Amino acid sequence: MQKPLEGAVHPPRSAAVDRPRRPGGALAAGVPLAAGGVGAVGALALGLVASLALPLALVAALGAGVLLAGGSHLLLRALQPAPTLLVEAETGVGEGTRELLERILRATAETRATTAALRGRAPDPAARPALDHVDALLGRLEALTGAESVQSSRPSDGSVTLLEGMATRYLPELVEAIEDTIGFLASFQGAAREDALANLTSIDHQLTVLGESLEGVERDVVAGVSRDLEVHAEFLRRRFADEHLTPIIDI
């Protein structure tokens, strides 16, 4: 008899879900501190040997320690691999495709941070629908990077290049236009404000066009799963027919 599963269940984006992280802790803090300490002691010794006054030697030692600690900290950060954002499917993903999907996820994270900052400025209510539209598209982009059929694509496949262009160019440019328009709405009145509102309408229309382009990729993903289900259902039909069994599920 199997024992019931134990443990906590976390949502996919929960911080409790393990992902590769940058090395930290004692290594990240200890190495710069040790380097700074060694540099400070060395500078102090040199200062005393050079017959500097003790206060001057201490100042030189402190400066050398700070410089060495800061330099070693920056060097460690440069040597550490960037944290991965991509959740890979069981089938794995090619290196070139992984790089593109990681680029897409980094871009969506940056754009999401920008829209959050714009919301924090309490913009004109007329701009909120466009910001909501952007966030919805970002969520769809992020979901598609986790699709098995997308991860198994070549970097040059149309679906992958479409997602990359949308995440790294088209959406950021439209968000920049939204930001400019929010400034106009806060500053201008009369005909100039009406023109700014017309800009928002144009931006929202372009966001709709991007969403329609995403629908094509989403349909392909769902169609692939549907084909797999049809193959599996046909296998079950044959298996039950061969063994003269009554299926326990309706297929």
Side-chain angles (χ1 to χ4, degrees):
M1 181 177 179
Q2 293 183 340
K3 295 181 179 180
L5 296 176
E6 298 179 355
V9 178
H10 303 286
R13 296 186 181 278
S14 170
V17 178
D18 287 336
R19 283 185 178 177
R21 295 181 175 87
R22 289 176 180 264
L27 177 62
V31 172
L33 287 175
V38 171
V41 171
L44 179 60
L46 287 174
L48 294 176
V49 169
S51 300
L52 292 177
L54 181 59
L56 291 177
L58 288 174
V59 170
L62 179 62
V66 170
L67 288 175
L68 279 173
S72 59
H73 176 69
L74 292 176
L75 179 60
L76 278 178
R77 286 182 61 86
L79 293 176
Q80 290 168 1
T84 180
L85 300 175
L86 183 66
V87 179
E88 293 188 23
E90 294 182 358
T91 55
V93 55
E95 187 60 33
T97 302
R98 179 188 293 107
E99 291 178 2
L100 282 180
L101 296 181
E102 288 279 4
R103 187 182 308 164
I104 290 168
L105 289 172
R106 287 194 296 272
T108 57
E110 292 173 2
T111 303
R112 193 182 298 281
T114 302
T115 60
L118 291 176
R119 291 180 189 278
R121 300 176 193 171
D124 190 292
R128 289 173 187 166
L131 293 174
D132 291 342
H133 205 160
V134 171
D135 286 338
L137 288 174
L138 293 174
R140 292 166 67 183
L141 280 169
E142 290 165 346
L144 282 169
T145 63
E148 184 176 324
S149 60
V150 173
Q151 293 189 5
S152 62
S153 301
R154 296 186 301 272
S156 58
D157 283 356
S159 58
V160 178
T161 56
L162 171 65
L163 299 182
E164 183 199 12
M166 195 175 297
T168 62
R169 179 183 173 188
Y170 303 130
L171 274 177
E173 288 178 353
L174 288 175
V175 169
E176 184 178 353
I178 293 173
E179 184 174 11
D180 291 340
T181 304
I182 288 174
F184 300 152
L185 292 174
S187 305
F188 301 155
Q189 297 296 327
R193 178 178 171 84
E194 293 301 318
D195 289 342
L197 291 173
N199 285 348
L200 278 180
T201 301
S202 175
I203 291 169
D204 203 59
H205 174 69
Q206 294 178 60
L207 292 171
T208 299
V209 172
L210 292 180
E212 292 171 350
S213 299
L214 273 186
E215 285 179 7
V217 182
E218 291 166 339
R219 283 198 302 269
D220 290 342
V221 170
V222 174
V225 174
S226 299
R227 286 193 294 270
D228 291 342
L229 287 174
E230 290 172 0
V231 171
H232 187 258
E234 182 61 25
F235 166 77
L236 290 179
R237 290 191 188 95
R238 294 180 179 179
R239 179 68 179 272
F240 284 125
D242 291 343
E243 298 185 4
H244 305 287
L245 297 174
T246 301
I248 60 175
I249 56 176
D250 185 17
I251 48 178

